[in-house]
Amino acid sequence: MNTVILIPNGFIVHKSKIVETNPLMFLSFKIELEEEYTLRSYFRMLEAYSLLLDLNEFFPSFFEQYCACPKNNCILDGIDHLEFNKAVEMIGFPGKPRLEMYNSFNGVHNNETCEIRSFQLENLLDIKIKLGKLKHIVFGDQVDIFEFDTVYTLFEFIDGVAWALSFHGTPKQCEIRR
């Protein structure tokens, strides 16, 4: 599978060269994140490749929030890193089974997942992002969870993070304090 590397300054690298124009042709490519990739890097990518801003209707408001944030040290104690995951859930077995597939974007602290939707963007921008494993969850008489290595595409990543951030609507005054 073709691969692109997302680097902290926001650029996309393909075959050891920075993609200069038209990132759309790379949307189906597998991604890898450099070690220091953060949520700020994600927004830098949107800045560097403005065509990507057309992929999601929430980007204008996200971008406005991003531009109003401090330029560094936007971290939150109690979150070790942010993690982008994929899940496949089998629900209703035995009985009438159904299958749901989705991406999630959460915080991780001491190997435990935590919700980030109640935190402001300015508290998350400089936290590293990692790609997690696919979780296969089977709901039935008991819950079984299996984890697998998986591949994430550039489109899945861009859209999945945007989707997760679209739930960040807590007014600053109501933010959960740590």
Side-chain angles (χ1 to χ4, degrees), residues 153-167:
T153 66
L154 180 58
F155 178 78
E156 280 179 307
F157 182 69
I158 292 169
D159 190 60
V161 171
W163 175 254
L165 292 178
S166 70
F167 293 98

Side-chain angles (χ1 to χ4, degrees), residues 70-124:
K71 301 298 179 204
N72 56 37
N73 204 29
C74 294
I75 57 172
L76 184 67
D77 289 336
I79 295 183
D80 303 327
H81 67 272
L82 300 171
E83 192 168 88
F84 187 73
N85 291 52
K86 192 181 292 188
V88 175
E89 292 183 354
M90 289 181 66
I91 302 167
F93 183 80
K96 189 172 183 177
R98 72 179 196 269
L99 187 70
E100 293 183 6
M101 297 180 278
Y102 58 89
N103 293 313
S104 62
F105 188 56
N106 295 297
V108 176
H109 179 63
N110 293 331
N111 294 321
E112 294 290 324
T113 300
C114 56
E115 288 284 335
I116 59 172
R117 69 178 74 183
S118 61
F119 300 114
Q120 300 298 317
L121 189 60
E122 68 187 43
N123 297 82
L124 301 171

Side-chain angles (χ1 to χ4, degrees), residues 38-77:
T38 64
L39 189 55
R40 187 180 302 278
S41 305
Y42 174 86
F43 282 100
R44 286 177 177 159
M45 177 179 62
L46 297 176
E47 271 183 307
Y49 306 101
S50 60
L51 274 174
L52 298 177
L53 292 170
D54 292 334
L55 293 177
N56 191 292
E57 67 183 299
F58 295 109
F59 282 145
S61 64
F62 294 158
F63 218 73
E64 186 178 306
Q65 290 175 45
Y66 163 70
C67 290
C69 289
K71 301 298 179 204
N72 56 37
N73 204 29
C74 294
I75 57 172
L76 184 67
D77 289 336

